[in-house]
Amino acid sequence: MRVKGDHQKLKMLYLADIFAAETDDEHPLTLPQIAEKLDECGVNADRKTLYQDFEELRTYGMDILSAREGSKTLYWLGERDFELSELKLLVDSVQSAKFITDGKSKELIGKLEKLTSRRLASKLSRQVVMSGRVKTMNESIYYNVDTLHQAIGSNVQIRFHYFQWNVKKEMQLRRDGAWYQVSPWALLWNNENYYLVGYDAGDGTPENEGKIKHYRVDKMLEITATDIPREGEAQFASFDLARYSKSLFGMFGGEETRVTLEADSDMAGTLIDRFGKDLIIIQTGENSFRTAVNVAVSSQFFGWVMGLGGKVRITGPESVVERMREEVRKIAAQYR
């Protein structure tokens, strides 16, 4: 049982906590209410010393505000590190991130709620809808990201196992369980998943030359940093991560190619959303235009074009056009 005044040395800490957790613009406290809450914490407080304490907190940087309401003076914490709208944005990001498990999502959101008052935190809680979202089942991803950042900062290579799900919903190690060893250079958040972008030196043969590759972080297991310095510095010297991300479709790799597209005019917004405002648009008719983009040519890219319902057409180079024809033939054959 707490004795009145037995935590006097903690007075300023308790007072700061009371302002942060119990007050906001809509929920101020009077001086007697503040004194009562301090008393519950085992701290003595009187009117004169509280005035001095408030000034100390203001000097420290806390935005302690006050206003008269009738015969009472009300006090509350004004500006905070995060506004409620900013916290809602962060909560949405945590919820939508597939690479964060349900359990870790709830834990992070609970920590975000502590950055505002309890009453405003309840508005964040009402915003949270966890069910129905596809989330990763790899609980270790949270720590994997930290390991990868440390390896990048230490300029060393990493080794790990990489898995895929089989039809029995079991983890199945790729390469028959052999270790992957790559030089990590960047982390990329794309399509609600986290990816490591790194350099695989290969084995030096023409068939397996060194190249830039990416890996889903939630499918990486037993990540460990080595003492081997990273490779690929020349390849990453002028590497554009944003361009790399835009060129991929669903993060499926493929040979990057300059592809010409013809599209209906009402598809301009769709292409700008996908490739950015730097897209060069050449009007080819009253209701059509042409553009050229760098893409990793893959089945996913062809599927994206087909999903636009004939409003976007690949016109060059001929090798890519022929691959598109082949994709269409394969799909048509499945539905005969």
Side-chain angles (χ1 to χ4, degrees):
M1 181 177 178
R2 285 177 177 168
V3 179
K4 189 172 182 180
D6 65 350
H7 288 160
Q8 205 65 28
K9 291 183 179 180
L10 301 176
K11 180 181 181 183
M12 296 301 289
L13 295 177
Y14 281 126
L15 190 57
D17 285 345
I18 290 168
F19 273 110
E22 304 292 343
T23 74
D24 54 61
D25 294 351
E26 300 175 4
H27 305 95
L29 293 175
T30 63
L31 213 60
Q33 288 173 325
I34 294 172
E36 182 181 350
K37 289 185 178 296
L38 283 171
D39 184 60
E40 293 172 359
C41 298
V43 173
N44 288 327
D46 58 54
R47 183 181 299 269
K48 183 177 180 181
T49 59
L50 280 177
Y51 290 144
Q52 296 171 346
D53 295 334
F54 295 168
E55 285 304 317
E56 290 292 333
L57 289 177
R58 291 187 181 105
T59 301
Y60 178 67
M62 294 186 71
D63 187 26
I64 308 299
L65 303 177
S66 62
R68 293 286 296 180
E69 187 179 275
S71 59
K72 299 181 296 184
T73 302
L74 303 175
Y75 299 87
W76 69 95
L77 179 62
E79 186 176 345
R80 299 169 183 264
D81 290 337
F82 292 93
E83 297 178 8
L84 185 62
S85 59
E86 294 171 329
L87 291 175
K88 287 181 177 180
L89 182 65
L90 292 174
V91 166
D92 279 341
S93 298
V94 170
Q95 287 188 96
S96 64
K98 290 169 65 176
F99 66 87
I100 306 177
T101 62
D102 271 333
K104 185 57 70 175
S105 292
K106 291 173 183 175
E107 183 181 330
L108 287 173
I109 290 170
K111 292 178 180 180
L112 289 172
E113 289 175 350
K114 293 179 181 179
L115 296 175
T116 189
S117 70
R118 290 195 179 96
R119 293 179 178 85
L120 292 182
S122 66
K123 296 183 179 180
L124 292 176
S125 297
R126 287 197 293 270
Q127 179 185 345
V128 174
V129 181
M130 300 302 298
S131 61
R133 297 194 185 250
V134 178
K135 305 284 272 183
T136 183
M137 289 172 276
N138 184 0
E139 188 69 42
S140 64
I141 183 174
Y142 200 67
Y143 308 100
N144 287 350
V145 171
D146 186 52
T147 301
L148 292 172
H149 276 301
Q150 289 186 36
I152 292 171
S154 301
N155 196 37
V156 295
Q157 296 183 30
I158 59 166
R159 66 198 304 254
F160 57 92
H161 284 124
Y162 204 51
F163 78 87
Q164 61 188 2
W165 296 105
N166 63 22
V167 293
K168 296 180 181 178
K169 301 180 182 178
E170 298 170 335
M171 288 184 183
Q172 181 177 327
L173 295 181
R174 304 185 71 168
R175 293 186 180 175
D176 295 323
W179 289 97
Y180 285 66
Q181 183 160 322
V182 302
S183 299
W185 284 93
L187 284 163
L188 171 66
W189 190 0
N190 184 287
N191 195 28
E192 300 183 359
N193 286 307
Y194 233 148
Y195 293 86
L196 168 71
V197 182
Y199 180 75
D200 184 345
D203 59 12
T205 64
E207 298 80 18
N208 192 15
E209 296 178 345
K211 61 178 65 175
I212 293 172
K213 295 182 178 179
H214 58 268
Y215 308 86
R216 276 241 326 239
V217 177
D218 61 304
K219 293 189 175 183
M220 299 168 69
L221 300 173
E222 301 174 86
I223 303 174
T224 55
T226 71
D227 56 2
I228 304 171
R230 286 188 302 177
E231 298 177 311
E233 184 174 358
Q235 287 78 2
F236 277 88
S238 58
F239 182 73
D240 188 333
L241 192 62
R243 176 183 166 183
Y244 180 77
S245 175
K246 284 191 295 185
S247 73
L248 298 169
F249 284 78
M251 293 305 289
F252 284 86
E255 184 180 352
E256 186 170 303
T257 307
R258 188 75 170 170
V259 174
T260 304
L261 302 174
E262 291 256 358
D264 294 355
S265 294
D266 60 357
M267 298 305 294
T270 299
L271 294 186
I272 290 172
D273 286 342
R274 174 73 225 192
F275 298 104
K277 290 187 69 176
D278 293 335
L279 191 73
I280 297 175
I281 293 177
I282 301 172
Q283 202 80 27
T284 56
E286 186 176 344
N287 295 304
S288 63
F289 67 91
R290 182 176 70 249
T291 188
V293 293
N294 292 313
V295 300
V297 178
S298 64
S299 296
Q300 287 66 36
F301 166 62
F302 296 131
W304 176 77
V305 173
M306 285 187 273
L308 298 177
K311 288 178 170 289
V312 175
R313 300 161 295 282
I314 302 171
T315 59
E318 184 58 31
S319 60
V320 178
V321 175
E322 182 53 39
R323 284 185 62 183
M324 180 63 164
R325 293 191 187 108
E326 182 59 29
E327 287 288 328
V328 172
R329 284 194 290 266
K330 283 164 52 179
I331 292 173
Q334 291 178 329
Y335 289 91
R336 283 176 184 163

